[in-house]
Amino acid sequence: VSIGFNLDPRLTSDTLPVSDLPISIVRLMNDARFPWVVLVPRRSGASEILDLSSEDRHQLFNEIVQVSSAVKMICTPKKLNVATIGNIVPQLHVHVVARNEGDAAWPRPVWGVGTAEPYTQADADAFVTSLKRALAAESSR
Amino acid sequence: VSIGFNLDPRLTSDTLPVSDLPISIVRLMNDARFPWVVLVPRRSGASEILDLSSEDRHQLFNEIVQVSSAVKMICTPKKLNVATIGNIVPQLHVHVVARNEGDAAWPRPVWGVGTAEPYTQADADAFVTSLKRALAAESSR
């Protein structure tokens, strides 16, 4: 818990909780069409990577790599898409999306494509459990 | 020049040369609708950030920050969009795009939206010159 930091309401409603890394809240986009993880650094008011201190920025980069490795390990995607966009939700957040040929947006990016298909509770629980395990494996390497 | 590294033909045709940073070739997307810079690490066969060594990865992150700062200084955008996608061009490349309300794709991401509008030679030269100057200023900080 970081005093004074509140997750953006849109991010809160679009995602499910996964875990906390040293700087980021890790959330799963509640959209079963794509394995899609979001990192949100707990830094109030940050909208760009440039808004972070150099130290925070490097920590965020390390966590992006850690999450990317975990998602790759779980999903073995054809391609990872990693991005910070934030045109609609200004709170700094980073997307890590596992992409495969034939997925609902391929080869286009996922943002703004179609409508999210929420996970079943069982599928969400299974993915979150896998992700936590993979993140723990990555952080212990 | 990095022996054995060749810029992807699609990236070559879609972009204009700007400069070389320690790990990345910096190119300007030839699309006057958006200030849009691309970094391509000179590492043959790399498709994901995870394919780079830890040292190369950190250098790339530093160069992403350097290019982001330079683009922000020149364009003072409402938002920077920073992404590595690569669903179509697998050679690892990172986009840094300056976005503003009312631009040709706002608030959507720029990828796959409409048709690129090539710069005039004078406008391309002016932007490349500004970018080189800003990159030099950033690297001397």
Side-chain angles (χ1 to χ4, degrees):
Chain A
V1 174
S2 186
I3 305 297
F5 180 80
N6 293 297
L7 190 63
D8 176 275
R10 167 95 185 240
L11 288 175
T12 304
S13 68
D14 288 352
T15 63
L16 304 167
V18 177
S19 65
D20 278 355
L21 294 176
I23 195 173
S24 306
I25 296 172
V26 180
R27 310 269 305 187
L28 176 65
M29 191 66 76
N30 191 10
D31 186 347
R33 298 175 303 161
F34 315 100
W36 181 347
V37 179
V38 177
L39 295 90
V40 187
R42 291 183 297 279
R43 293 294 180 268
S44 294
S47 169
E48 303 282 1
I49 288 172
L50 295 175
D51 295 336
L52 300 177
S53 70
S54 173
E55 190 182 351
D56 284 352
R57 215 181 272 158
H58 279 92
Q59 181 58 34
L60 175 60
F61 286 146
N62 289 336
E63 294 178 11
I64 292 169
V65 168
Q66 186 184 350
V67 168
S68 299
S69 295
V71 170
K72 187 179 175 189
M73 181 166 32
I74 299 171
C75 305
T76 57
K78 179 168 175 70
K79 194 68 193 65
L80 290 170
N81 294 173
V82 180
T84 176
I85 299 177
N87 301 339
I88 294 171
V89 173
Q91 182 173 77
L92 179 58
H93 60 288
V94 179
H95 304 271
V96 176
V97 193
R99 304 299 309 280
N100 285 295
E101 283 179 288
D103 72 26
W106 187 266
R108 288 165 301 156
V110 295
W111 301 281
V113 171
T115 306
E117 297 175 6
Y119 285 98
T120 63
Q121 188 67 52
D123 286 350
D125 288 348
F127 194 10
V128 167
T129 300
S130 301
L131 200 53
K132 281 179 168 174
R133 194 173 296 141
L135 285 171
E138 285 302 318
S139 70
S140 67
R141 287 213 299 181
Chain B
V1 175
S2 185
I3 303 299
F5 179 81
N6 292 300
L7 190 64
D8 176 275
R10 168 95 185 241
L11 288 175
T12 304
S13 68
D14 288 352
T15 63
L16 303 168
V18 177
S19 64
D20 279 354
L21 294 177
I23 195 172
S24 305
I25 296 172
V26 180
R27 309 271 303 187
L28 175 66
M29 191 67 77
N30 191 11
D31 186 347
R33 297 175 302 163
F34 315 101
W36 181 347
V37 178
V38 177
L39 294 89
V40 187
R42 291 183 296 277
R43 292 295 180 266
S44 294
S47 168
E48 303 282 1
I49 288 171
L50 296 175
D51 295 336
L52 300 178
S53 70
S54 173
E55 188 182 353
D56 283 353
R57 218 181 268 158
H58 279 92
Q59 180 59 34
L60 174 61
F61 286 148
N62 289 336
E63 295 178 9
I64 292 169
V65 169
Q66 185 183 349
V67 167
S68 299
S69 296
V71 169
K72 187 178 175 191
M73 179 164 37
I74 299 171
C75 305
T76 58
K78 178 168 176 69
K79 193 70 191 66
L80 289 171
N81 294 174
V82 179
T84 175
I85 299 177
N87 301 340
I88 294 172
V89 172
Q91 181 172 78
L92 178 58
H93 60 288
V94 179
H95 304 270
V96 176
V97 193
R99 303 299 309 277
N100 285 295
E101 284 179 286
D103 71 27
W106 188 266
R108 289 167 301 155
V110 296
W111 302 280
V113 171
T115 306
E117 296 175 5
Y119 285 99
T120 63
Q121 187 68 53
D123 286 350
D125 288 349
F127 193 9
V128 167
T129 299
S130 300
L131 200 52
K132 283 179 168 175
R133 194 174 294 141
L135 285 170
E138 285 302 317
S139 70
S140 68
R141 287 214 298 182

